[in-house]
Amino acid sequence: MTTHEAKPLGGRLLTWPVLLLAPFVALCGLMIVKRLIMGIGAVSDLNGGYSWGLWIAFDLLVGTGLACGGWALAWTVYVFNRGEYHPLVRPALLASLFGYALGGLSITIDLGRYWNLPYILLPGQYNTSSVLFETAVCMTIYICVMALEFAPATLERLGWHLPLKRLNSIMFFVIGLGALLPMMHQSSMGSLMIVAGYKVHPLWQSYEMLPLFSLLTAFIMGFSMVVFEGSLVQAGLRGAGGSETSLFYRLTRIINIFLILFIVLRFGELLFRHKTAYLWHLDRYALSFWCEILLMLLPLIIFNLKACRYDARLLFTGALCMILGAVLWRMDYSLLAFDPGNGYHYFPTASEILISVGFLAIEVCAYILLIRLLPVLPAHIVVHNHHQTEVDHESAHHH
């Protein structure tokens, strides 16, 4: 019988992925220091037409979307009472915590006068009419909530039973708040571009539907990342945790609902607003739109073919397609389909790209280190990995 207990993975901390990514982490740190000292113009190509670029479109909008795995599973496990998915919660929550924390850091380095950031905490300075204010406040509170949700893993590792007991007594409130907050700021991230009006291409601009599309892609990206990261962990542990593959497949039946909703509403909005003519233009906008739709349709085919249901490689492929489709939609509506006019152009500098790559490197390295140190992964996966390691050592000894 599978237990929902979690255990540290153990093993060496400085594995080859950590060593490979460490230089990118160091370069990211150096570029951030350069930006904070010398100004944003020293590292970015932002200008009067493009007030935000890669750090917001990718690091924030895409990054926090990819970090929605913990939130999506919280709804599945705690709101809809699907307890069989509980073993997937803690790994997804850890990835979410890093994703949101780095998204918050990307906002900080993107602010021209970052030293004014503390004003957001002063009640007399609140701009309650601002979507950005609501997003910033919600994200800040949500990062704290996720830290509390993940705190039991640290307390278990340290053996602090009394604080753990007290935290568990209020965890129902923490989880409820954690399920609510992303509904607010993920939809607000869609609302951010409504004010851009005609500067966003008609295939993406929608005064009614942008918040809903943003929310749907958050669910799609969240569930997809659970399958994607889980598959990578299992592959890294030499195929451990076959029961997780079964859980991933059952999770795809929930994902199907969001995929179908997104595609139907996407075409419905274009039909209702008489914008279908843009679909047949031979330009990059139409191409981007059809790439989004195809990347969303392919998983629907994979997940509903009987021969593909329990194939871990195909589940991984389907999850990757969904991630790419949702990422492309978010990049399009916030940056690629945005044209400020007046001859303004933007392309990220090498420094901007290094900082974004560095954020990903930080998340991957920290995730690997913490699953080895803290009880994050389901116990049966850890036991399987240790057993496999012993078998490998024994085989090498005989040879």
Side-chain angles (χ1 to χ4, degrees), residues 27 31 43-45 54-55 347-357:
L27 284 171
M31 290 299 104
V43 295
S44 80
D45 190 37
L54 187 67
W55 294 337
F347 191 84
T349 63
S351 298
E352 284 179 270
I353 295 170
L354 276 174
I355 288 175
S356 295
V357 172

Side-chain angles (χ1 to χ4, degrees), residues 20-316:
L20 180 66
L21 294 172
F24 292 100
V25 175
L27 284 171
C28 175
L30 290 174
M31 290 299 104
I32 290 176
V33 171
K34 180 182 178 182
R35 178 265 173 273
L36 295 178
I37 295 175
M38 301 180 66
I40 197 168
V43 295
S44 80
D45 190 37
L46 297 177
N47 51 59
Y50 288 88
S51 54
W52 63 44
L54 187 67
W55 294 337
I56 297 300
F58 183 77
D59 296 354
L60 176 63
L61 299 181
V62 171
T64 57
L66 295 175
C68 281
W71 167 62
L73 280 179
W75 272 89
T76 305
V77 174
Y78 301 113
V79 179
F80 295 109
N81 200 28
R82 302 296 295 272
E84 68 267 29
Y85 299 112
H86 194 270
L88 305 177
V89 170
R90 197 170 277 186
L93 186 60
L94 177 60
S96 297
L97 182 56
F98 283 126
Y100 266 90
L102 292 173
L105 179 59
S106 71
I107 295 176
T108 303
I109 65 170
D110 191 75
L111 289 176
R113 299 175 181 177
Y114 58 88
W115 51 86
N116 287 332
L117 192 62
Y119 282 109
I120 197 174
L121 304 174
L122 303 177
Q125 302 294 324
Y126 290 170
N127 180 5
T128 54
S129 301
S130 170
V131 175
L132 283 171
F133 171 77
E134 188 272 341
T135 303
V137 170
C138 262
M139 279 187 59
T140 303
I141 298 173
Y142 185 55
I143 291 170
C144 297
V145 166
M146 282 192 293
L148 285 174
E149 286 182 295
F150 189 75
T154 306
L155 297 177
E156 288 172 19
R157 185 71 173 87
L158 296 173
W160 294 358
H161 301 294
L162 184 59
L164 178 62
K165 184 178 180 181
R166 289 176 176 171
L167 180 58
N168 284 335
S169 67
I170 62 165
M171 191 56 75
F172 71 95
F173 173 75
V174 176
I175 291 171
L177 196 58
L180 172 66
L181 288 172
M183 299 284 289
M184 299 165 65
H185 62 251
Q186 284 296 336
S187 60
S188 294
M189 286 178 187
S191 304
L192 286 174
M193 296 307 292
I194 290 177
V195 72
Y198 66 89
K199 295 180 181 180
V200 176
H201 192 275
L203 286 175
W204 287 271
Q205 182 60 277
S206 173
Y207 301 113
E208 304 90 352
M209 301 300 290
L210 264 181
L212 180 57
F213 288 150
S214 181
L215 193 60
L216 287 174
T217 54
F219 271 113
I220 292 169
M221 295 167 85
F223 283 124
S224 302
M225 283 302 293
V226 172
V227 179
F228 181 80
E229 289 173 344
S231 300
L232 286 181
V233 169
Q234 288 187 30
L237 301 184
R238 303 178 181 89
S243 61
E244 262 61 38
T245 300
S246 175
L247 281 179
F248 294 154
Y249 166 65
R250 280 184 277 171
L251 207 56
T252 61
R253 291 183 288 185
I254 301 174
I255 299 172
N256 282 344
I257 298 170
F258 292 104
L259 286 173
I260 293 169
L261 264 176
F262 179 82
I263 293 170
V264 170
L265 290 175
R266 195 88 165 82
F267 279 103
E269 192 271 337
L270 296 179
L271 285 167
F272 184 74
R273 291 297 179 188
H274 309 291
K275 296 189 288 188
T276 53
Y278 292 104
L279 297 178
W280 317 115
H281 291 182
L282 296 177
D283 57 17
R284 65 182 180 90
Y285 300 110
L287 180 61
S288 292
F289 175 89
W290 288 114
C291 284
E292 289 174 18
I293 297 301
L294 289 173
L295 286 167
M296 297 290 194
L297 281 174
L298 186 58
L300 282 174
I301 297 170
I302 292 175
F303 298 154
N304 289 284
L305 287 177
K306 190 174 182 180
C308 304
R309 288 180 181 177
Y310 294 98
D311 189 321
R313 290 169 299 181
L314 289 175
L315 286 178
F316 175 82

